[in-house]
Amino acid sequence: MMLVTSGAVAFGKQRLRHEILLSQSVRQALHSGQNQLKEMAIPVLEARACAAAGQSGLMALYEAMFTQYSICAAQILVTNLDFHDEQKRRNLNGTLHELLRMNIVPIVNTNDAVVPPAEPNSDLQGVNVISVKDNDSLAARLAVEMKTDLLIVLSDVEGLFDSPPGSDDAKLIDIFYPGDQQSVTFGTKSRVGMGGMEAKVKAALWALQGGTSVVIANGTHPKVSGHVITDIVEGKKVGTFFSEVKPAGPTVEQQGEMARSGGRALATLEPEQRAEIIHHLADLLTDQRDEILLANKKDLEEAEGKGRLAAPLLKRLSLSTSKLNSLAIGLRQIAASSQESVGRVLRRTRIANNLELEQVTVPIGVLLVIFESRPDCLPQVAALAIASGNGLLLKGGKEAAHSNRILHLLTQEALSIHGVKEAVQLVNTREEVEDLCRLDKLIDLIIPRGSSQLVRDIQKAAKGIPVMGHSEGICHMYVDSEASVDKITRLVRDSKCEYPAACNALETLLIHRDLLRTPLFDQIIDMLRVEQVKIHAGPKFASYLTFSPSEVKSLRTEYGDLEICIEVVDSVQEAIDHIHKYGSSHTDVIVTENEKTAEFFLQHVDSACVFWNASTRFSDGYRFGLGAEVGISTSRIHARGPVGLEGLLTTKWLLRGQDHVVSDFSEHGSLKYLHENLPIPQRNTN
């Protein structure tokens, strides 16, 4: 690490001003009294003198800071002439390499005490020459001279913008390419130092041409950008990165803008046209079945070859003819329900004569759906976005890259029949999820589909964007003392064993104490053993057993495999308390023949889905008749449970008047509020 810094002139100016004031005040006090102190004029300070006086203060500051981390620093002062003398260049290079070898941080600055004023027209003179006239050009020159891997230029703004920062249309440029200068409007130069952003860009491009990677980022807000250097070194998307290689496709920001404009065009289509797109996509899933399964086979072979996916995730990754047929059926259900989605009138009110208010459904905007190992998720989510008129950004896991690519191509083919191909975008760049979550001006809602860790990471990273989803699926089944022997084993087997990796699979079985050592309890245990389900005993259950299974490490565990926790409770109320303490508000079930007990459970369990005598696996958009789901939400705002078409809509208010003003309704005005509810018109969906 080398550090190029300024500040000597500012340090020296402050120090010399203090010295002059001190000496003048003593003389004035001796000769004229205190009344003339206010009229003293401080002479204009010469910059080279300030630099000479300030160098020691600047180094003292750096020494004090680096010493706290047991790091030694060394000062090196250079001038432009040092780079033109071959012997001096070699000496400088050798000194820097020796300091770096000893883990000493070189702190480099221009020797402003002797340096001549910068020549205005001697900036860039080719690949081998750059005039050292400010810190930016000095840093670029040193970076190329020392063949550094990376040059970080810290500024007082987030990076390079396409127009002056603070202007209404200014957009941060994430990646800047040589030749893009024409697309940038530079503002005024920095109020401190020699250069401005234009000088930084020129220096960055010169260093890039010399083989050094460059990032310009903000270094002025420790609370916001305190980790800016480590973030950049770790490859996080911070500031503006200078690159000579343009990517083959659009950037994720461009894709977000395309999804926004495409989604708006999609929302203006007639409901029948959106339904037609979804029907066409359903047909393509069956017509192009062989190509889809071939692409999926490549994904499976690569995943098995690398051994990076566990068996439950491999099952999620796999597609089959029956899965594609089920997908097509679900998509046609979505198409049928989409007829009454966008633009549906929810409320009509006559505010006053000839002043009518309507509340209507509208799309949320642009959705970002991040999913792992589930290629079948792509057409489901795409169909729901199409039906609700939302733009869509999709980010799939790399383990399903081949499957996702062909499914996205088919989605765009279906969208093309009404000219809205760009409404659904697949992010193919190596964009980190954390970076996507920062695009708060492009994305309106994030929906994660994957592991609980993925959901937690996204909820943590998404600072300004709402996240819809659940971080865990800890589903409970309470077996009441009045449960039916005929029903219980079927319900437990289906909930736990049918698809143990699903988020709606059973994880904890709560047994009423009266059922212990009964034939019903023995049947449950025997069935679990036959199905090769590993049993973990809760603390209370373990206390009843002489030789118990392995005691559970935590009662708040989502196994996602053929494992289950069994715990004993004394009553339905204790079961409810246990669910509220250890559950995730996803799906919880009671098995009983007592209707009163069942209704008590249904009313008091505070989860997104609460069932009576039914498998937890019914918690699914397709099984609920929603056609499909974008996910299951345990949130308490907007949408809860399996989120289908309705959960992707919001509302807006339309007010139609005739020259109405609020003052007409004041105490002395001529009009009165009516606030009459009006009938809602029925749409023809045939």
Side-chain angles (χ1 to χ4, degrees):
M1 172 73 81
M2 294 186 295
L3 191 62
V4 175
T5 180
S6 61
V9 174
F11 249 103
K13 187 177 289 186
Q14 187 179 31
R15 188 172 176 183
L16 292 181
R17 283 169 62 94
H18 183 265
E19 290 295 324
I20 291 167
L21 278 171
L22 190 63
S23 62
Q24 284 186 351
S25 63
V26 171
R27 287 197 301 272
Q28 294 286 354
L30 289 171
H31 296 291
S32 309
Q34 294 291 332
N35 59 333
Q36 293 187 13
L37 281 177
K38 296 176 184 176
E39 300 173 8
M40 287 191 309
I42 297 174
V44 176
L45 297 172
E46 207 273 328
R48 284 192 286 270
C50 291
Q55 286 291 353
S56 59
L58 181 65
M59 271 314 290
L61 175 65
Y62 278 113
E63 285 282 2
M65 291 194 290
F66 277 114
T67 302
Q68 294 183 59
Y69 298 93
S70 301
I71 295 172
C72 183
Q75 183 181 38
I76 294 180
L77 297 175
V78 296
T79 67
N80 201 23
L81 296 174
D82 295 329
F83 292 101
H84 294 288
D85 185 303
E86 190 62 34
Q87 185 60 47
K88 288 183 177 179
R89 281 176 62 191
R90 279 200 299 269
N91 292 345
L92 175 62
N93 196 299
T95 302
L96 288 169
H97 276 294
E98 183 63 15
L99 291 171
L100 292 169
R101 187 184 67 79
M102 294 188 290
N103 290 326
I104 295 173
V105 176
I107 296 176
V108 188
N109 196 357
T110 52
N111 191 353
D112 293 326
V114 299
V115 74
E119 298 174 31
N121 298 316
S122 61
D123 201 356
L124 294 175
Q125 300 171 5
V127 176
N128 298 318
V129 182
I130 183 173
S131 172
V132 175
K133 53 190 282 190
D134 53 33
N135 277 339
D136 305 319
S137 52
L138 171 59
R141 184 67 193 248
L142 272 174
V144 174
E145 194 76 31
M146 296 293 292
K147 297 182 171 59
T148 61
D149 300 300
L150 175 65
L151 168 61
I152 299 174
V153 183
L154 294 180
S155 174
D156 58 356
V157 292
E158 277 61 39
L160 180 59
F161 289 77
D162 57 0
S163 56
S167 58
D168 290 340
D169 298 324
K171 290 181 183 175
L172 180 67
I173 300 171
D174 293 299
I175 304 178
F176 187 78
Y177 306 98
D180 283 356
Q181 294 97 312
Q182 291 75 21
S183 63
V184 176
T185 304
F186 291 101
T188 56
K189 80 174 191 70
S190 171
R191 63 180 177 81
V192 293
M194 295 286 294
M197 187 55 76
E198 189 168 9
K200 285 177 170 52
V201 171
K202 285 181 178 179
L205 290 172
W206 191 88
L208 182 68
Q209 197 176 359
T212 296
S213 299
V214 185
V215 174
I216 296 178
N218 191 333
T220 60
H221 300 296
K223 289 185 178 178
V224 177
S225 55
H227 304 292
V228 62
I229 294 174
T230 49
D231 284 350
I232 291 169
V233 171
E234 289 170 5
K236 293 183 180 178
K237 200 168 186 177
V238 178
T240 300
F241 177 66
F242 285 71
S243 173
E244 291 189 299
V245 183
K246 284 200 173 189
T251 65
V252 68
E253 289 80 11
Q254 290 168 333
Q255 285 187 295
E257 288 172 358
M258 288 191 284
R260 173 80 68 192
S261 59
R264 284 172 178 162
L266 185 64
T268 62
L269 295 178
E270 293 296 323
E272 296 77 18
Q273 292 174 306
R274 288 193 293 271
E276 191 180 347
I277 292 170
I278 299 168
H279 274 297
H280 188 47
L281 177 56
D283 293 339
L284 287 170
L285 290 178
T286 52
D287 295 346
Q288 305 293 323
R289 178 182 60 239
D290 294 342
E291 288 83 350
I292 296 169
L293 294 179
L294 184 63
N296 185 244
K297 186 181 177 185
K298 285 183 187 176
D299 288 327
L300 288 168
E301 287 172 351
E302 288 179 12
E304 288 168 349
K306 292 175 182 175
R308 65 187 182 196
L309 286 185
L313 291 178
L314 274 174
K315 190 173 180 182
R316 287 187 180 189
L317 178 60
S318 174
L319 291 175
S320 63
T321 301
S322 62
K323 263 192 182 180
L324 291 175
N325 288 338
S326 295
L327 270 175
I329 293 168
L331 262 58
R332 292 186 179 101
Q333 284 183 347
I334 294 171
S337 61
S338 71
Q339 300 285 334
E340 291 187 339
S341 57
V342 181
R344 186 172 80 254
V345 180
L346 301 179
R347 181 185 304 179
R348 288 180 69 220
T349 306
R350 180 177 286 121
I351 304 295
N353 288 328
N354 297 317
L355 184 64
E356 292 188 4
L357 180 69
E358 281 185 350
Q359 185 185 21
V360 299
T361 56
V362 292
I364 287 173
V366 175
L367 315 175
L368 168 61
V369 178
I370 302 167
F371 56 101
E372 295 177 319
S373 310
R374 286 280 303 271
D376 55 327
C377 175
L378 194 153
Q380 285 181 340
V381 172
L384 286 167
I386 293 164
S388 56
N390 284 291
L392 179 62
L393 278 175
L394 292 157
K395 173 69 173 171
K398 56 180 178 284
E399 65 280 353
H402 298 293
S403 307
N404 289 339
R405 193 174 299 115
I406 188 167
L407 290 169
H408 177 247
L409 286 172
L410 295 177
T411 302
Q412 290 204 314
E413 184 180 331
L415 286 161
S416 297
I417 64 175
H418 287 297
V420 286
K421 177 182 175 182
E422 294 182 341
V424 177
Q425 298 285 325
L426 180 65
V427 179
N428 284 316
T429 58
R430 295 180 64 183
E431 212 77 33
E432 293 293 334
V433 166
E434 189 175 330
D435 294 328
L436 290 170
C437 292
R438 291 175 182 160
L439 302 176
D440 56 329
K441 292 182 180 175
L442 294 173
I443 296 165
D444 299 296
L445 179 66
I446 301 175
I447 304 171
R449 297 284 303 269
S451 67
S452 56
Q453 188 60 51
L454 171 77
V455 179
R456 281 194 294 270
D457 289 345
I458 290 170
Q459 288 172 334
K460 187 178 177 182
K463 298 285 168 58
I465 311 173
V467 178
M468 180 190 288
H470 64 282
S471 57
E472 294 172 304
I474 304 172
C475 303
H476 293 75
M477 181 177 286
Y478 165 57
V479 184
D480 185 52
S481 59
E482 297 180 64
S484 164
V485 176
D486 299 330
K487 294 174 183 175
I488 185 61
T489 51
R490 273 170 49 82
L491 290 171
V492 174
R493 181 189 289 109
D494 188 77
S495 297
K496 178 72 251 184
C497 309
E498 198 260 345
Y499 190 3
C503 66
N504 56 12
L506 176 63
E507 304 294 4
T508 299
L509 185 65
L510 300 175
I511 305 280
H512 193 283
R513 184 185 57 185
D514 293 349
L515 296 178
L516 290 177
R517 301 185 180 90
T518 65
L520 185 148
F521 178 76
D522 294 339
Q523 282 185 25
I524 296 172
I525 299 299
D526 290 343
M527 181 276 294
L528 291 172
R529 284 176 178 158
V530 169
E531 296 290 342
Q532 298 182 319
V533 178
K534 183 178 180 180
I535 298 171
H536 301 276
K540 205 168 176 183
F541 179 43
S543 69
Y544 284 95
L545 304 172
T546 308
F547 300 100
S548 72
S550 62
E551 190 164 339
V552 70
K553 293 178 182 177
S554 170
L555 289 167
R556 192 181 283 112
T557 302
E558 182 180 11
Y559 298 103
D561 208 343
L562 286 172
E563 297 182 57
I564 195 169
C565 169
I566 297 180
E567 181 59 309
V568 174
V569 292
D570 292 342
S571 65
V572 64
Q573 184 60 58
E574 191 177 328
I576 293 168
D577 293 342
H578 179 103
I579 289 167
H580 287 163
K581 186 173 182 179
Y582 300 109
S584 61
S585 302
H586 192 296
T587 301
D588 299 294
V589 176
I590 182 170
V591 183
T592 184
E593 295 305 299
N594 187 313
E595 184 176 352
K596 187 177 178 181
T597 304
E599 288 301 325
F600 183 85
F601 185 90
L602 293 175
Q603 297 303 319
H604 286 80
V605 171
D606 186 17
S607 296
C609 300
V610 189
F611 302 160
W612 172 23
N613 289 349
S615 167
T616 59
R617 298 278 291 119
F618 278 104
S619 181
D620 175 84
Y622 173 72
R623 296 180 182 115
F624 276 15
L626 306 177
E629 65 186 31
V630 291
I632 294 178
S633 171
T634 54
S635 168
R636 298 175 190 278
I637 299 173
H638 182 65
R640 203 169 182 214
V643 181
L645 185 55
E646 293 293 322
L648 300 182
L649 297 170
T650 184
T651 64
K652 72 176 178 182
W653 297 90
L654 306 176
L655 184 63
R656 298 178 177 91
Q658 293 182 4
D659 191 30
H660 287 83
V661 292
V662 170
S663 58
D664 287 342
F665 295 86
S666 64
E667 187 179 348
H668 303 292
S670 58
L671 296 177
K672 299 292 182 188
Y673 288 112
L674 299 177
H675 292 150
E676 295 175 0
N677 291 327
L678 299 174
I680 296 172
Q682 298 299 311
R683 292 173 66 169
N684 181 11
T685 59
N686 293 327

